[in-house]
Amino acid sequence: MGNYAGDHAVVLGGSIAGSLAARILADHYRQVTIIERDEVAGTTRPRRAIPQGHHIHALLARGKQILDEIFPGFTAELVADGVPVGDFGTSLSWYFNGRMMKKAETGLVCVAAGRPLLEDRVRRRVHALDNVTYRERTDVMGLVASPDRQRITGVRVQPNSIEGAPEEVLEGDLVVDTTGRGSRTARWLVELGYPQLREERVRMDLTYTTMDFHGPLTFDPIGDDIAIIPVATPAMPRGAFFARLPDRYAISLTGILGDRPPTDHKEFLAYVESLPVPEIYKAVHDAEPMGPAMSFHFPFSIRRRYERQGRHPEGLLVVGDAACIFNPVYGQGMTVAAMEALVLRQHLQQGPIHPERFFQDQAKVIDAPWGMSAGADLGFPGVRGRRTVKTWMGNAYIPRLQAAAAHDGQLTVSFLRAAGLVDPPQALMRPSVASRVLRAGRQ
């Protein structure tokens, strides 16, 4: 394209959010540089910067749609690699309080690729762009600002592959922070004289423990489907994801409020046996593990309210987990990052980036998934966070919808479209949906 927004954009972090941002920026800047502290080229295994990468990840339906939009043929490429795909409403068995939602075709495609494979395929597409460069094994040391501190003009970086390597300044017309949970942008902005960033937290003290198993299984309740998912609820707080992946079977166990799924094989199986779906234990009690179980502790979700900050420097955006860290149980992170990439594209198409306007529109994207995941977590009495009237109403209504969906496939479709971020959560309150929930409650 001839009309560029600038000469150079710098993306901090090369995971899903960073790579998607770089893909969008490549259409609007002459050069895009991605700063990544790990070595990521060709990596299809979990890496140091993504400790949750060992565990089962979900690409929600809306995320899949966006990846196919900005990377044409993306799903077809994964299918050619042997990744299982299916319908979210028929290839996955969803259990709430021990009851399975009635299966129904949703038209929404589930792609059962683990996060490392997804990241690798996204990076391959971005790396193929002539004007995008990955700088691996490089740490971000801080922001560089103009003398009046009204604009971010670059970043200070340092190679971590050579001990004692000097810092250097990498200038950029736009800096995009996608460094995730450990983002230091809020602190750096305070040091530059900007207001303290407001945060919202929901503390659920979640632990994930995952074990991979060799196939085939002696007893395989998944068959040609993708997964069996007993979702944790206040009545049955232990949850799991039992999935068929391209080269293995995997179980990710979840526990909250100090209930930590163990890594010891025997104790792991005992936890599996306590789940409300006995077929999972029957499938893996005699299966051969591919290695030791891996655990990941997630203490709380965080929403960083950049849209409520009084002042913003020009030339700096924050996206992905650096802006909002979702409870990974709900699988929203990668999809929200993809939705934010579309917001970035829209703003670049309209002209120069104005951070205040961007953060306002980003907040509108985050509102729905944050409300659903934080609201569901706050349905557990021991979880700490701010409960509103909307939270109480949602936690009174949604379990009734889930129970009714055990016998009503149309409710399954409605729920999965909202959970997949294809429809807004308000769609679950439409008269055509609410009437079915109320009718089921009277039966």
Side-chain angles (χ1 to χ4, degrees):
M1 64 184 291
N3 297 321
Y4 288 98
D7 289 327
H8 190 207
V10 181
V11 179
L12 312 182
S15 61
I16 291 286
S19 294
L20 293 178
R23 169 62 192 91
I24 300 302
L25 292 167
D27 288 339
H28 299 272
Y29 288 82
R30 288 187 173 85
Q31 184 66 38
V32 178
T33 301
I34 302 172
I35 307 299
E36 170 55 50
R37 68 179 183 178
D38 286 343
E39 187 172 344
V40 295
T43 299
T44 56
R45 300 296 300 167
R47 56 193 180 91
R48 177 171 61 97
I50 311 291
Q52 69 272 31
H54 293 277
H55 308 283
I56 295 173
H57 276 66
L59 179 65
L60 300 183
R62 182 62 183 134
K64 179 266 176 193
Q65 293 171 352
I66 294 171
L67 289 184
D68 274 335
E69 177 183 343
I70 63 179
F71 301 121
F74 188 80
T75 297
E77 179 182 318
L78 291 172
V79 171
D81 287 339
V83 172
V85 298
D87 189 286
F88 268 99
T90 57
S91 294
L92 293 87
S93 299
W94 300 89
Y95 287 82
F96 293 89
N97 293 325
R99 296 185 294 261
M100 186 180 78
M101 281 185 159
K102 186 174 182 179
K103 293 196 172 187
E105 292 281 347
T106 65
L108 305 177
V109 177
C110 174
V111 179
R115 176 165 180 152
L117 180 61
L118 273 175
E119 279 197 10
D120 176 68
R121 295 302 183 265
V122 168
R123 275 195 299 267
R124 286 188 188 186
R125 292 293 191 102
V126 175
H127 198 273
L129 300 173
D130 291 337
N131 62 334
V132 176
T133 302
Y134 281 84
R135 283 193 56 169
E136 301 176 289
R137 303 291 303 275
T138 301
D139 293 329
V140 180
M141 308 307 292
L143 301 173
V144 178
S146 60
D148 62 3
R149 299 186 173 185
Q150 298 300 304
R151 171 175 285 278
I152 300 304
T153 60
V155 290
R156 292 183 292 109
V157 300
Q158 183 178 43
N160 60 40
S161 57
I162 303 173
E163 187 175 353
E167 287 187 13
E168 62 177 291
V169 172
L170 191 63
E171 295 182 348
D173 302 293
L174 179 67
V175 174
V176 182
D177 177 8
T178 72
T179 54
R181 187 182 191 93
S183 169
R184 292 165 288 171
T185 289
R187 174 166 62 83
W188 289 334
L189 289 178
V190 170
E191 293 171 357
L192 289 171
Y194 287 87
Q196 183 71 45
L197 185 67
R198 293 175 58 185
E199 290 184 347
E200 293 179 23
R201 295 192 177 197
V202 176
R203 180 177 288 275
M204 78 297 293
D205 191 18
L206 168 74
T207 299
Y208 257 97
T209 302
T210 297
M211 185 174 289
D212 295 331
F213 296 91
H214 290 284
L217 302 174
T218 303
F219 171 71
D220 184 0
I222 297 178
D224 292 331
D225 289 345
I226 290 174
I228 298 172
I229 307 171
V231 179
T233 66
M236 296 182 176
R238 290 185 168 184
F241 302 83
F242 177 34
R244 175 174 67 92
L245 300 175
D247 59 346
R248 70 192 67 194
Y249 289 82
I251 297 180
S252 286
L253 301 176
T254 66
I256 68 166
L257 300 173
D259 184 18
R260 301 195 172 185
T263 56
D264 174 81
H265 183 217
K266 184 176 180 180
E267 294 175 358
F268 181 94
L269 291 178
Y271 199 102
V272 174
E273 193 173 16
S274 73
L275 297 171
V277 184
E279 290 82 2
I280 300 178
Y281 176 75
K282 184 178 178 181
V284 300
H285 77 280
D286 60 351
E288 180 187 357
M290 296 179 70
M294 302 295 293
S295 237
F296 167 65
H297 184 227
F298 183 90
F300 43 77
S301 305
I302 307 173
R303 183 170 184 183
R304 294 168 174 148
R305 290 288 194 169
Y306 281 97
E307 81 280 7
R308 295 182 180 177
Q309 199 169 15
R311 294 185 298 118
H312 301 277
E314 296 295 321
L316 176 67
L317 301 179
V318 182
V319 301
D321 283 2
C324 187
I325 304 141
F326 297 93
N327 181 341
V329 162
Y330 304 99
Q332 297 167 320
M334 292 189 292
T335 294
V336 172
M339 296 168 72
E340 290 173 328
L342 296 189
V343 175
L344 177 61
R345 182 177 68 182
Q346 177 187 3
H347 279 252
L348 287 166
Q349 289 172 343
Q350 292 172 350
I353 287 283
H354 298 284
E356 182 175 354
R357 297 176 192 170
F358 173 85
F359 287 128
Q360 292 292 334
D361 286 346
Q362 178 192 52
K364 295 173 185 176
V365 164
I366 293 173
D367 281 343
W370 176 260
M372 286 189 287
S373 60
D377 285 339
L378 290 167
F380 293 81
V383 170
R384 286 184 284 167
R386 187 171 68 92
R387 291 171 171 83
T388 64
V389 172
K390 184 178 179 181
T391 304
W392 292 109
M393 291 178 62
N395 285 324
Y397 177 72
I398 295 299
R400 295 181 185 181
L401 185 152
Q402 292 162 346
H407 307 286
D408 188 337
Q410 187 55 52
L411 290 178
T412 298
V413 173
S414 297
F415 176 79
L416 293 177
R417 287 184 64 84
L421 304 184
V422 174
D423 287 346
Q426 297 91 323
L428 298 179
M429 299 300 297
R430 290 172 182 161
S432 60
V433 177
S435 62
R436 301 175 84 99
V437 175
L438 295 173
R439 186 162 57 247
R442 291 194 294 266
Q443 294 175 353

